[in-house]
């Protein structure tokens, strides 16, 4: 997506692996990089990240959020979610009708609703990505344990064959020695 038209993008990266990978490929495009996130992710953490995100995206026409969506233990899907720009959100927010609410006015509250909208989308992406990561780790550990068990079984079989061979050799030496006497 970015390789096709690199001048049209500005990257906001969350996480250590993504930061390392994208900084190596597109060092001039990485605008902001947030690393060393503490797990578990909570809504206030997502809100503070979203604050940076909103502040750095004021000059952007389009905002695309890419993350791994958790489907099940085996399947994670790369998801591309469009987030409305602030200008587009405010245009659509004019169509929202709030019953029996006079304060705060829509001009005042719409900016906070945009921040909440971006924060909720980002929090959803972070949680899905974290669930996908944990699922991948769980699968990797399960496969490693299974492979280790198979290796132990194979080595036990090889050891038992060698031990049996040694016992057979010693018995044949004893029988040959007794027959020679």
């Amino acid at each position: 997506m970015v390789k096709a038209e690199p001048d049209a993008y500005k990257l906001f990266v969350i996480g250590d692996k993504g930061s390392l990978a994208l900084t190596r490929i597109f060092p001039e495009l990485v605008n902001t990089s947030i690393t060393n996130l503490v797990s578990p992710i909570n809504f206030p953490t997502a809100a503070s990240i979203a604050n940076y995100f909103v502040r750095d995206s004021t000059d952007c026409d389009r905002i695309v959020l890419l993350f791994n969506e958790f489907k099940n233990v085996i399947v994670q899907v790369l998801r591309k979610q469009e987030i409305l720009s602030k200008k587009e959100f405010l245009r659509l927010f004019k169509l929202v009708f709030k019953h029996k609410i006079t304060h705060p006015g829509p001009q005042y509250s719409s900016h906070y609703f945009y921040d909440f909208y971006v924060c909720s989308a980002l929090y959803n992406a972070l949680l899905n990505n974290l669930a996908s990561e944990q699922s991948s780790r769980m699968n990797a550990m399960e496969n490693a344990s299974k492979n280790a068990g198979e290796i132990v079984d194979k080595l036990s079989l090889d050891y038992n064959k060698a031990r049996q061979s040694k016992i057979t050799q010693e018995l044949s030496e004893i029988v040959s020695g007794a027959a020679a006497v």
Side-chain angles (χ1 to χ4, degrees), residues 13-165:
V13 185
I14 301 171
D16 297 327
K17 289 183 182 180
S19 294
L20 290 173
L22 291 173
T23 303
R24 189 175 25 230
I25 299 171
F26 306 111
E28 65 281 351
L29 297 180
V30 175
N31 188 43
T32 305
S33 177
I34 295 178
T35 58
N36 298 325
L37 287 177
V38 179
S39 188
I41 300 293
N42 55 20
F43 196 77
T45 303
S48 64
I49 294 170
N51 185 30
Y52 282 112
F53 188 70
V54 168
R55 191 177 61 209
D56 288 349
S57 65
T58 54
D59 59 336
C60 296
D61 299 336
R62 217 172 100 199
I63 301 169
V64 179
L65 191 60
L66 296 171
F67 61 95
N68 290 320
E69 183 179 33
F70 179 79
K71 287 289 185 189
N72 57 43
V73 177
I74 299 172
V75 179
Q76 296 87 33
V77 179
L78 183 63
R79 175 109 188 265
K80 180 176 155 181
Q81 180 181 356
E82 294 266 343
I83 295 179
L84 297 173
S85 66
K86 192 166 192 172
K87 188 167 92 173
E88 182 66 17
F89 181 84
L90 294 176
R91 185 184 70 76
L92 293 173
F93 192 77
K94 291 177 185 174
L95 305 174
V96 173
F97 180 74
K98 293 180 274 178
H99 296 281
K100 297 181 185 179
I101 295 179
T102 56
H103 297 290
Q107 299 299 334
Y108 178 77
S109 63
S110 60
H111 298 286
Y112 294 105
F113 279 115
Y114 179 72
D115 290 342
F116 184 70
Y117 160 69
V118 172
C119 180
S120 298
L122 186 63
Y123 187 54
N124 177 49
L126 289 171
L127 289 179
N128 268 297
N129 208 46
L130 192 61
S132 297
E133 179 185 352
Q134 292 301 325
S135 175
S136 294
R137 285 183 182 185
M138 188 178 73
N139 282 337
M141 288 304 295
E142 185 177 324
N143 290 338
S145 297
K146 181 180 161 190
N147 289 341
E150 289 174 0
I151 290 172
V152 166
D153 290 345
K154 184 181 181 303
L155 289 175
S156 295
L157 185 63
D158 289 346
Y159 171 75
N160 287 337
K161 283 181 183 178
R163 188 173 58 90
Q164 188 63 40
S165 171

